[in-house]
Amino acid sequence: MIIARTLEDLKIAREALGEVNFVPTMGALHEGHLTLVRAAREAGRPVAVSIFVNPTQFGPKEDLSRYPRDEAGDLAKLEQAGCALVWLPRVDTMYPPHASTTVHVTNVTARWEGATRPGHFDGVATVVAKLFGQIRPKAAFFGEKDWQQVQVVRRMVADLHLPVDIVPVPTVREADGLARSSRNAYLSEAERKAAPALYAALTEAVKAILAGKEVAATLHKVRQDLAAAGMTPDYVALVHAHSLEPLAGFKAPARLIAAAKLGTVRLLDNLAVSSQL
Ligand code: AMP
């Protein structure tokens, strides 16, 4: 496994490997990330993984300074998963002082994570565009856990005619349904026990919507269930799966998306509203 820390190292690695598939991450790797790596490998090219805790996608009051970091552990997991190249850029490589370009995607960023976290998707789109320029992958793999993020990246790639295929990968969960996330490490024992209520409430709601229950009443019930589990919902919404526009009534392709605070941790989850759950 090649470890590149400078653009010069990266160029040499790219020339040695030829075409690659790519998995961007912020490290603190778990089974969700490793599933993306395996999917990228199975797609038939050597896999490049980036580990970069991107400061521009964190708000001023967010958890940048306490975001979990474990470089040695991450490298061991990637080696084990058969990764060919790890890209570990420094902040000043990604954002040199003279850098003057931000990628701003409109429409699909207007609501939900975009509204709750102003500037977040500018940070995501900008860093992903830079990483694509550095790695030049044939295909890039993103987790459906961050559903809106996948739609934002797809929009950017289409709008900028970037020569990369975006491949979404289904959410990897714990046995009790909780979506795997680096931030789960912040949950106290009691919070960890309460956390699966988010997936449970969304699963029930998908069944209710498919059974014809009114959407507004169903979303209200999800909020009640989350509150009963000690969570404070940021949003719970039925949306068009690609535009992220809210739907007053069920019409495919639809996605049920939610974010809720549990103690200091913000949990995020979403499900397809389809009978293939
Ligand atoms: P992050 O390190 O949180 O920026 O995530 C890096 C990539 O892993 C993103 O494409 C995430 O959507 C994806 N990812 C994170 N958690 C999961 C999960 N539980 N299942 C599938 N993909 C995930």
Side-chain angles (χ1 to χ4, degrees):
M1 186 171 78
I2 305 169
I3 296 172
R5 294 180 187 273
T6 65
L7 289 168
E8 294 72 36
D9 291 350
L10 183 63
K11 182 162 182 277
I12 294 165
R14 246 196 7 246
E15 281 163 6
L17 290 174
E19 286 186 338
V20 295
N21 290 336
F22 177 43
V23 179
T25 82
M26 298 205 300
L29 301 181
H30 52 65
E31 202 43 42
H33 299 112
L34 299 177
T35 300
L36 297 186
V37 175
R38 284 191 286 270
R41 263 188 71 186
E42 281 157 19
R45 294 187 189 92
V47 177
V49 173
S50 61
I51 299 177
F52 180 62
V53 181
N54 176 33
T56 66
Q57 72 189 69
F58 288 77
K61 294 193 185 124
E62 292 181 7
D63 57 350
L64 173 62
S65 62
R66 66 162 195 158
Y67 195 82
R69 291 168 204 246
D70 176 17
E71 188 182 296
D74 289 348
L75 292 175
K77 286 174 192 162
L78 290 174
E79 178 103 63
Q80 173 79 23
C83 170
L85 165 64
V86 189
W87 171 224
L88 293 159
R90 290 162 42 119
V91 172
D92 60 3
T93 301
M94 299 306 283
Y95 299 103
H98 52 270
S100 314
T101 303
T102 297
V103 180
H104 177 65
V105 179
T106 55
N107 297 328
V108 72
T109 59
R111 302 173 194 270
W112 324 123
E113 290 306 288
T116 311
R117 307 178 67 187
H120 170 68
F121 284 124
D122 285 359
V124 169
T126 303
V127 83
V128 170
K130 286 171 185 268
L131 290 167
F132 285 175
Q134 293 163 342
I135 304 273
R136 303 180 203 174
K138 283 296 281 181
F141 292 68
F142 288 84
E144 289 185 351
K145 177 179 166 275
D146 301 287
W147 183 263
Q148 190 173 10
Q149 173 170 278
V150 178
Q151 309 318 311
V152 172
V153 171
R154 282 201 143 146
R155 190 70 257 151
M156 173 185 79
V157 163
D159 289 349
L160 300 181
H161 303 270
L162 300 179
V164 50
D165 296 328
I166 302 303
V167 184
V169 177
T171 302
V172 177
R173 300 178 180 283
E174 304 281 0
D176 58 14
L178 175 65
R180 301 288 304 247
S181 166
S182 306
R183 290 186 170 100
N184 292 350
Y186 304 146
L187 294 168
S188 70
E189 207 177 312
E191 289 164 352
R192 175 63 190 82
K193 285 209 179 96
L198 176 55
Y199 175 67
L202 292 180
T203 307
E204 282 308 304
V206 166
K207 286 187 199 148
I209 291 167
L210 290 174
K213 195 173 165 200
E214 202 211 343
V215 169
T218 306
L219 299 180
H220 181 68
K221 169 80 167 52
V222 173
R223 286 189 201 97
Q224 281 181 329
D225 289 353
L226 298 183
M231 298 183 203
T232 312
D234 268 351
Y235 58 80
V236 177
L238 180 72
V239 301
H240 184 281
H242 306 302
S243 74
L244 276 293
E245 289 294 317
L247 297 173
F250 170 55
K251 189 168 179 290
R255 204 88 191 172
L256 192 59
I257 61 170
K261 278 200 204 72
L262 180 57
T264 60
V265 183
R266 214 163 152 268
L267 300 175
L268 212 59
D269 208 340
N270 68 86
L271 287 177
V273 185
S274 105
S275 47
Q276 279 135 35
L277 264 186

